[in-house]
Amino acid sequence: MSSAKASTSAAPSSAPVAHNALPPPTAPSAGRSSRIAPHSHIKGLGLTSEGFANADSAGFIGQTTAREACGVVVDLIKSRRFSGRALLLVGAPGTGKTALALAVSHELGSKVPFCPMVGSEVYSTEVKKTEVLAEVFRRAIGLRIKETKEVYEGEVTELTPTESENPLSGYGKTVSHVVVGLKTVKGTKQLRLDPSIYEAILKEKIVVGDVIYVEANTGAVKRVGRSDAYASSYDLESETYVPLPKGDVHKRKELVQDVTLGDLDAANARPQGGQDIMSVMGSLVKSGRTEVTEKLRHEVNKVVKGYVDQGVAEVVPGVVFIDEVHMLDIECFTYLNALLESPMAPTVILATNRGNSLVRGTTDIVSPHGIPVDLLDRCMIVKTDSYTRDQVGKVVQLRAIVEGLKLGPGVVDKLAEDGERSSLRYALQLLTPASILATLAGRNQIEVEDIGEMGELFLDAKTSASMIGRDGGFDGGGKML
Ligand SMILES: Nc1ncnc2c1ncn2[C@@H]1O[C@H](COP(=O)(O)OP(=O)(O)OP(=O)(O)O)[C@@H](O)[C@H]1O
Ligand SMILES: [Mg+2]
């Protein structure tokens, strides 16, 4: 906090600074990292409780029909009535398709798995195309497992590692055991724990005053939160405070665990056993890439089905989002059809900016959005509209706030005009470079002239396209050089 303050107060005095010396953005949503993601202003779909879109809300400007449609899909996903179906977002580049999909993931919350990917990710030299798709689909099916386990739970009152001579090296000491004191409303207990549990305690950054539980069988340690006896008077902080646990320290507790079918596949494919180098490597490289077979998935499914039948687990279908879906080829599309029809299928959201185009992997099948008609037939299609000048202006203003930029008079109008003529994305992309020009000129505010200069330096897609000769080159010869 103090360093951020120091750098902003220093900025105006050191007028012409190089751009790597730019002050970090100070807007609250900018977060700690210096890079601000292009969609960080999108906080959700911005719908009323009746499902109607507020004109401008949750960082979303306009696009009301598409947002309402996505709202319906969110409701259906939450009530688990949309799995195995697909939503297709179509529209011109920069009209907010990716932003809509991210808004859907915000609305679904962290409990529903959301697995985004880009169509071209399937082209790997190591893994089959269909395997990539199958894996994403497995990761998008959540499983909520309820288990009653024996645990030791309480507020940590003492945390003392006991060291002893290291019998192996002669130098240094190792932790022989750790003594943990736990307190509940009803009583206290002192536990002597194995050093491996001490490592877990260090990893979870557990200190005195935290509420934790240790699973009796496995020794897994989980931090629940900070005891509210230590609650501070800050209005805003990241800590979660929990009350002192009731009952005895040693008790049976119902634990809820969220895993995905993908996790289960990977865990079961990983080579088990000895501490030899192979098993160390096995857990370092993305586990079991080659070992997860269709047979293993069937086995996992069978076990999962058993759990569900016994009422121990609950299936939570999530969402697979495939951006730039026209990059998939006919083989992937066919496989996608099959995946959609499998009994445990997540909801699929697709996005593309193509009109009629050739389906990849074929030489003669031209179809709308580059998607074969049989898959298209399974999709509910939502179109994003292009933006008016007014709407571009509003998005520009939003982004300026997120990026911590000040805009002088007329800048929004100028960018809105540019954005309407070319695209919303072009207008947004001019913001950051224009702010660098402004800083170099010793101003902390972007003026219209900075935007003008940007327009001279950088072309938008349409201008660039119009400069290309009719034969496709710059010198009339059809060559780029
Ligand atoms: N309605 C909107 N309100 C606020 N911001 C928006 C809106 N639409 C788009 N944006 C922002 O504009 C930028 C471009 O949008 P986005 O990347 O979603 O376009 P797209 O439709 O996915 O384009 P493409 O087809 O090229 O992938 C993003 O930074 C996005 O957050
Ligand atoms: Mg996109």
Side-chain angles (χ1 to χ4, degrees):
M1 221 22 215
S2 59
S3 67
K5 253 186 215 155
S7 58
T8 39
S9 58
S13 58
S14 55
V17 278
H19 34 258
N20 54 8
L22 284 179
T26 48
S29 53
R32 258 190 309 175
S33 75
S34 53
R35 187 175 169 274
I36 305 164
H39 303 285
S40 47
H41 59 288
I42 305 282
K43 301 282 180 257
L45 287 168
L47 302 177
T48 62
S49 52
E50 288 85 42
F52 295 111
N54 296 320
D56 309 321
S57 165
F60 237 110
I61 309 292
Q63 219 65 272
T64 46
T65 323
R67 278 159 58 201
E68 283 170 12
C70 287
V72 174
V73 172
V74 168
D75 285 344
L76 287 172
I77 295 172
K78 279 189 175 161
S79 58
R80 296 175 198 182
R81 279 180 297 171
F82 200 71
S83 44
R85 281 189 246 179
L87 171 74
L88 172 62
L89 303 170
V90 300
T95 46
K97 298 179 293 296
T98 308
L100 267 174
L102 292 181
V104 168
S105 92
H106 275 291
E107 295 288 337
L108 289 173
S110 57
K111 293 273 182 264
V112 180
F114 185 89
C115 302
M117 69 174 281
V118 181
S120 47
E121 273 175 49
V122 297
Y123 302 105
S124 145
T125 49
E126 286 149 27
V127 188
K128 273 199 302 185
K129 290 178 270 194
T130 50
E131 192 57 27
V132 177
L133 284 177
E135 202 186 304
V136 178
F137 270 64
R138 297 285 286 180
R139 273 196 281 121
I141 302 276
L143 201 63
R144 189 158 300 157
I145 306 170
K146 289 193 213 98
E147 269 179 302
T148 314
K149 280 192 175 165
E150 216 176 297
V151 295
Y152 294 91
E153 186 184 39
E155 178 192 317
V156 179
T157 51
E158 181 193 353
L159 194 62
T160 336
T162 309
E163 292 183 337
S164 64
E165 295 290 335
N166 188 343
L168 293 179
S169 77
Y171 298 108
K173 291 186 170 172
T174 52
V175 175
S176 64
H177 65 267
V178 55
V179 176
V180 177
L182 290 178
K183 181 173 91 177
T184 64
V185 176
K186 215 169 163 191
T188 56
K189 200 176 183 83
Q190 220 181 23
L191 306 174
R192 242 173 86 102
L193 301 176
D194 188 74
S196 65
I197 301 182
Y198 184 55
E199 276 170 30
I201 288 178
L202 291 180
K203 223 188 227 166
E204 291 255 329
K205 301 200 176 78
I206 291 166
V207 290
V208 170
D210 290 349
V211 174
I212 65 165
Y213 66 78
V214 186
E215 279 180 30
N217 298 342
T218 58
V221 183
K222 180 106 176 72
R223 183 175 184 274
V224 186
R226 187 122 183 101
S227 170
D228 55 10
Y230 291 78
S232 57
S233 54
Y234 296 121
D235 287 334
L236 209 65
E237 59 179 327
S238 56
E239 190 60 273
T240 41
Y241 290 100
V242 291
L244 197 62
K246 296 191 187 74
D248 288 316
V249 171
H250 186 187
K251 64 182 157 202
R252 293 179 73 77
K253 183 181 165 79
E254 183 165 278
L255 302 175
V256 179
Q257 235 184 325
D258 285 307
V259 292
T260 69
L261 291 187
D263 297 337
L264 292 181
D265 292 347
N268 285 294
R270 191 174 304 159
Q272 308 268 330
Q275 285 295 315
D276 59 6
I277 191 74
M278 266 324 286
S279 71
V280 175
M281 288 302 288
S283 54
L284 284 180
V285 280
K286 194 161 189 301
S287 52
R289 266 285 187 193
T290 47
E291 284 91 345
V292 179
T293 55
E294 210 44 43
K295 187 158 166 265
L296 182 106
R297 291 198 176 114
H298 275 298
E299 296 286 307
V300 170
N301 280 358
K302 231 191 272 168
V303 176
V304 166
K305 193 167 175 301
Y307 280 163
V308 173
D309 290 344
Q310 289 165 26
V312 180
E314 194 187 346
V315 175
V316 186
V319 179
V320 170
F321 169 50
I322 309 180
D323 209 354
E324 319 289 347
V325 66
H326 51 261
M327 286 305 295
L328 298 184
D329 64 7
I330 184 84
E331 206 178 310
C332 296
F333 284 127
T334 317
Y335 191 59
L336 210 53
N337 280 341
L339 283 178
L340 275 171
E341 267 157 34
S342 71
M344 265 200 246
T347 302
V348 177
I349 301 183
L350 309 169
T352 175
N353 54 19
R354 296 297 151 96
N356 282 333
S357 57
L358 194 69
V359 178
R360 267 183 85 106
T362 67
T363 49
D364 54 349
I365 306 179
V366 173
S367 91
H369 317 299
I371 300 175
V373 280
D374 49 353
L375 178 58
L376 217 45
D377 197 39
R378 289 176 168 82
C379 294
M380 293 168 81
I381 303 177
V382 170
K383 183 174 177 303
T384 50
D385 300 318
S386 50
Y387 293 109
T388 61
R389 180 182 296 203
D390 194 34
Q391 287 171 331
V392 177
K394 283 186 182 153
V395 181
V396 166
Q397 272 169 326
L398 260 180
R399 282 304 296 180
I401 296 172
V402 171
E403 295 188 26
L405 306 173
K406 270 200 218 152
L407 306 180
V411 171
V412 172
D413 293 340
K414 171 87 177 99
L415 281 174
E417 188 191 317
D418 284 354
E420 192 194 20
R421 182 173 40 78
S422 50
S423 78
L424 169 66
R425 199 180 265 133
Y426 175 68
L428 293 180
Q429 274 168 345
L430 287 188
L431 270 178
T432 320
S435 78
I436 292 173
L437 276 193
T439 316
L440 289 177
R443 281 181 269 109
N444 61 0
Q445 177 168 304
I446 301 172
E447 301 293 351
V448 179
E449 68 227 42
D450 298 325
I451 306 292
E453 200 167 325
M454 277 297 123
E456 284 165 27
L457 289 177
F458 301 110
L459 304 179
D460 64 281
K462 282 181 192 157
T463 318
S464 175
S466 70
M467 286 172 122
I468 298 173
R470 233 182 302 146
D471 46 3
F474 288 106
D475 56 357
K479 282 195 217 118
M480 292 288 276
L481 291 173

